[in-house]
Each structure stands twice: as structure tokens, then as C-alpha cells.
Amino acid sequence: MRKAVNHLKKADAAMASLIGRTGPCRIAYREPRFDALARSIVFQQLNGRAAATIYERLEKACGAAGVTPQGILKLRLPRMRAAGLSAQKSEYLKDLARRTHAGEIDFDTLPRMADAAVIDTLTQVKGVGVWTAQMFLMFALARPDVLPTADYGIRTAMRNLYGLADLPKPAEMERIAMPWRPWASIACWYLWRSLDGGAEL
């Protein structure tokens, strides 16, 4: 991590200032397993506290083994709704569980796959778009050079840090991020921190 932070500080004066204000990078990683992606689905478009409560209820509903494909598949929709999940997210979780159970998604092989291949694999699941796959890359697979150009927080933080008139579009974000390579994920962590928030896997 020190190598990444030193690179960012030397490569980008604005990022160096942000790092100085924020302090050490304390990015937290999760194991790249089924439950990490299931958790990401639960957290979509919800604030962290509400999503965490729903996920805890889901864990309890799945039983002692926790959130596994088998645990999700055995749950009936009313039980999932009672945990606080929408009908749509319940179906997303069911689709993830079915595909994992069928071997279409093998979480053991994901760490050996290139970033683009991971995104192609995970976005086969209903409700898993590029952003969710990128969060899995960053926070579960610990990939160091991911730039989620659709992330509103990253766009807002870039606008603020670089004094832009408007939220940057993907091409401008890529241009700004060029000096960060190959540590864009770490730079994004600092950008989220500048908003007193952060992505949640």
C-alpha cells in the first residue's frame, strides 16, 4: 500500500494534497466469495446502515452456514421480503445462487481471471452491472487499478478536487486518472473518503 500511496503523491499534486488531509489508506477487503457479491446486491441503492440491517436478516434467514447459494435457493420469496429485500433484489439473489450452483460462476476461478473477464462473468447475473462487478474487483479481488467511471461519488469528488465546472464524463475521468495508473483503485478510495463516505461491497 505504501508503494501505491507514494506513487499517487508523486504523480498528482491534487491527490497528494488529498492524501495529506486523509492520512493512511485503510481500504478494507472482503474474501472474493459468493456472499461478498450477494452483499453487494443487497447494498445497491441503499444507505449503509439500512442495507447492513437487511443483510443481517438475510444471514439469519439462510441459517448457520450463512449466505450461500444453497441458503438462498431454499428461501421462499415471502421470507426474503420479510428480511427487507425488494422483489427485484430477491430475484437477483436467486439468479446469482442458481448460476453459482450450476457452475456458471465459479468464485474459485475469479482470482485468476483478468479484470475484463471478471466483469463479463459477473454481469451475466441479473442485477449485476459493470459498477457492481467493479466494486467486487476492488474490494474482494483487491485489484489495484479499477476506475469506476459510472460512480457518482467518484465523479463528484473529482469535480471538487480538480475544480471542474461539471461532473466529469468517462473520457475526462480517464484523462485525469492517467497519472494514477496502476493504482487507480487506491486513488478512488481517497476520493470516496473526501466525501466522508465510500463504496460498500
Side-chain angles (χ1 to χ4, degrees):
M1 196 64 70
R2 184 177 299 174
K3 181 179 179 181
V5 171
N6 286 341
H7 172 90
L8 293 171
K9 288 165 71 174
K10 290 176 182 177
D12 184 333
M15 184 60 62
S17 177
L18 175 57
I19 291 170
R21 297 193 301 272
T22 307
C25 180
R26 303 188 188 282
I27 191 168
Y29 297 110
R30 298 183 180 277
E31 291 295 318
R33 303 179 308 207
F34 174 88
D35 60 318
L37 189 57
R39 189 176 191 276
S40 184
I41 290 172
V42 171
F43 271 71
Q44 289 173 356
Q45 300 176 321
L46 292 175
N47 74 61
R49 185 170 297 177
T53 298
I54 292 170
Y55 189 77
E56 287 173 10
R57 292 176 188 154
L58 179 64
E59 282 184 307
K60 290 178 183 176
C62 284
V67 179
T68 63
Q70 295 78 9
I72 295 292
L73 289 173
K74 76 176 184 181
L75 289 179
R76 295 185 181 276
L77 286 177
R79 184 76 186 276
M80 298 177 79
R81 295 300 303 276
L85 290 161
S86 67
Q88 192 173 50
K89 284 189 180 179
S90 297
E91 180 51 37
Y92 294 166
L93 290 168
K94 290 283 190 183
D95 189 59
L96 172 62
R98 284 191 291 266
R99 290 177 183 275
T100 305
H101 185 70
E104 294 176 33
I105 297 176
D106 183 351
F107 284 85
D108 290 335
T109 66
L110 293 178
R112 299 192 295 274
M113 295 168 64
D115 290 2
V118 172
I119 291 172
D120 287 344
T121 299
L122 296 185
T123 53
Q124 296 175 50
V125 179
K126 290 180 183 177
V128 175
V130 171
W131 180 87
T132 301
Q134 288 175 323
M135 295 304 104
F136 191 87
L137 283 170
M138 294 173 79
F139 296 108
L141 292 173
R143 299 295 170 87
D145 199 28
V146 180
L147 180 67
T149 56
D151 188 278
Y152 183 78
I154 296 298
R155 297 177 70 205
T156 300
M158 277 186 164
R159 182 192 62 190
N160 296 346
L161 185 62
Y162 297 95
L164 306 177
D166 300 301
L167 294 176
K169 294 182 178 177
E172 186 173 11
M173 295 172 76
E174 293 285 357
R175 180 186 61 76
I176 291 170
M178 280 295 294
W180 306 343
R181 306 293 188 180
W183 305 107
S185 298
I186 310 306
C188 287
W189 183 88
Y190 277 102
L191 290 171
W192 279 313
R193 296 281 75 71
S194 74
L195 301 174
D196 294 322
E200 180 67 66
L201 178 69

